[in-house]
Amino acid sequence: MSAQSRKVLQVLKGETLSPPPIWLMRQAGRYLPEYRQTRKQAGSFLDLCYSPEMAVEVTLQPIRRYGFDAAILFSDILVIPDALKRNVRFEEGHGPRMDPIAAEEIGKLDVKPVSSHLRPVIETVARLRQELPVETTLLGFCGAPWTVATYMIAGQGTPDQAPARLFAYRHPKEFDRLLALLADVSADYLVEQIDAGADAVQIFDSWAGVLGESEFKRYAVEPVRRMIDSVRARRPQAKIIAFAKGAGILLKDYRQATRADSIGLDWSVPLSFAAELQKDGPVQGNLDPMRVVAGGQALDEGIDAILQRLGHGPLIFNLGHGITPQADPDHVSRLVARVRGTSA
Ligand code: CP3
């Protein structure tokens, strides 16, 4: 076995593998009792993200349990606003909070300390590459500028990102400046992850789906294109997955415009359309995470439909969004076995 046997990486290079490789978004998380155990010891969620030892441990937990084909660095997209001194905290039962940014503050953001603030995360990547099985692909990640900006503006999660949409209409210049700044620091951060040993990276644009057509081009496509160009200018071989949740038919142009190697598909993307997208290159997705909660027939049928429609082209099997805390760990075992054709 060698680095050549990293299946997720092989698919990102355009190969079709049967069975397809599998990993799950948020595969390290609260549905696993061993995660909840480490999480309790860590104190705050950010302490967990910035402790290489504990972050390595929780990244490896789902690999040990299920033997996924890829490990994703344990961290969060909000370490970037944290590094930008936005007072990020994760409150029990409330999700993330930070100080909402005003238009006048954007020009004053200081990017200089970002890289040193994120050193522990880069250290986690380096240690992971040492500790992972050689055949496991190591994925780094960051948030897309639009999604990170929605949290910076609202100061918290919201159902439809109305505060960020309104801000963008009222303060278009400042908003463009914020997205460009986030694109630049995030590109540097991805290059550091790649240099530390990440085989590929994923850009999460979890809130792309709330944007209108022209805003999607300006706020989802442009900044991600800028990031990918910047990474490729320095690391031409970099493999990049872009996940624009809720982008629907706009995904057709998204891959071409951003030049991502693979696009992530959420569960609302029809499989007929997914098959069309797959003609342009590898796709990743797109099982509804609720099927993993339900288990049984709902799980099996969802898996089979994806394998049937997308299994004959370059596919990385995944969920259409992160696995939820109420998922049963045994359902995940069943999912992995069924995708690999090893179920009883
Ligand atoms: O996928 C993995 O296993 C790697 C780790 C990872 C986390 N967050 C850990 C986490 C990744 C890749 C993320 C990405 C992330 N974080 C996104 C993009 C993907 C998505 O799910 O849409 C977003 C929008 C965030 C921001 C974020 N972090 C929110 C909204 C929350 C609170 C909601 C929730 O699920 O609790 C978090 C917290 C968070 N990030 C947890 C984990 C395991 C749970 C917190 C805890 O353990 O206390």
Side-chain angles (χ1 to χ4, degrees):
M1 293 255 209
S2 69
Q4 267 72 49
S5 59
R6 292 177 192 157
K7 292 180 182 157
V8 170
L9 194 52
Q10 287 175 277
V11 174
L12 289 173
K13 291 175 180 167
E15 285 181 47
T16 296
L17 298 183
S18 184
I22 176 172
W23 70 279
L24 306 183
M25 289 189 275
R26 292 281 188 100
Q27 64 191 16
R30 286 164 297 181
Y31 74 107
L32 289 177
E34 57 269 37
Y35 172 83
R36 296 196 297 269
Q37 182 70 33
T38 313
R39 174 77 179 77
K40 236 189 280 165
Q41 291 164 5
S44 81
F45 176 72
L46 281 176
D47 287 340
L48 177 53
C49 294
Y50 296 135
S51 155
E53 194 172 331
M54 286 188 286
V56 164
E57 167 57 24
V58 294
T59 305
L60 295 177
Q61 286 169 351
I63 307 303
R64 289 191 202 113
R65 203 188 249 261
Y66 303 113
F68 287 123
D69 295 295
I72 182 159
L73 162 69
F74 189 86
S75 179
D76 198 86
I77 65 166
L78 300 178
V79 296
I80 292 280
D82 186 52
L84 289 167
K85 307 243 165 11
R86 301 311 301 165
N87 188 21
V88 175
R89 59 266 176 210
F90 287 80
E91 290 164 7
E92 209 59 57
H94 288 290
R97 293 281 159 96
M98 66 195 76
D99 297 342
I101 195 164
E104 316 79 74
E105 291 178 279
I106 288 171
K108 297 181 201 142
L109 285 170
D110 184 8
V111 302
K112 271 189 264 56
V114 171
S115 172
S116 61
H117 185 88
L118 297 174
R119 265 340 282 173
V121 182
I122 301 303
E123 169 70 21
T124 302
V125 175
R127 289 200 201 181
L128 278 168
R129 194 57 278 173
Q130 298 283 310
E131 295 199 25
L132 278 168
V134 67
E135 70 274 16
T136 309
T137 301
L138 176 56
L139 300 173
F141 74 93
C142 69
W146 160 250
T147 287
V148 173
T150 64
Y151 289 96
M152 290 181 75
I153 286 164
Q156 59 183 35
T158 72
D160 53 7
Q161 306 309 342
R165 284 155 50 216
L166 182 59
F167 187 104
Y169 291 124
R170 282 192 172 149
H171 309 286
K173 273 209 196 78
E174 289 89 344
F175 195 62
D176 279 340
R177 185 164 178 184
L178 176 61
L179 294 185
L181 179 146
L182 290 172
D184 292 345
V185 295
S186 303
D188 292 349
Y189 180 44
L190 291 182
V191 167
E192 288 177 6
Q193 293 181 35
I194 291 164
D195 289 348
D199 295 298
V201 292
Q202 175 156 320
I203 300 169
F204 286 89
D205 216 348
S206 305
W207 290 103
V210 302
L211 292 167
E213 184 176 5
S214 56
E215 289 72 31
F216 182 81
K217 285 212 175 87
R218 183 161 169 179
Y219 302 136
V221 175
E222 265 315 296
V224 169
R225 187 197 56 75
R226 180 180 173 119
M227 273 172 74
I228 293 181
D229 278 357
S230 165
V231 172
R232 290 252 174 75
R234 289 175 276 173
R235 303 293 178 270
Q237 303 309 319
K239 291 290 166 219
I240 302 172
I241 306 166
F243 174 59
K245 183 171 179 289
I249 59 166
L250 299 176
L251 281 171
K252 187 88 190 147
D253 295 330
Y254 185 71
R255 183 204 312 257
Q256 213 178 1
T258 61
R259 299 200 297 128
D261 296 283
S262 178
I263 47 175
L265 311 179
D266 68 76
W267 71 90
S268 73
V269 175
L271 291 176
S272 53
F273 184 54
E276 243 179 84
L277 294 169
Q278 198 182 35
K279 289 182 193 153
D280 299 331
V283 294
Q284 172 176 283
N286 73 340
L287 189 72
D288 184 350
M290 287 306 121
R291 289 191 188 265
V292 185
V293 178
Q297 201 179 345
L299 179 59
D300 292 354
E301 285 175 0
I303 298 165
D304 294 353
I306 292 170
L307 291 176
Q308 227 163 51
R309 290 306 295 268
L310 305 177
H312 307 289
L315 170 69
I316 300 165
F317 199 101
N318 206 314
L319 306 182
H321 196 198
I323 190 167
T324 58
Q326 68 272 39
D328 181 338
D330 291 339
H331 294 174
V332 177
S333 307
R334 182 182 176 118
L335 161 62
V336 173
R338 198 167 181 94
V339 169
R340 292 189 172 149
T342 53
S343 48

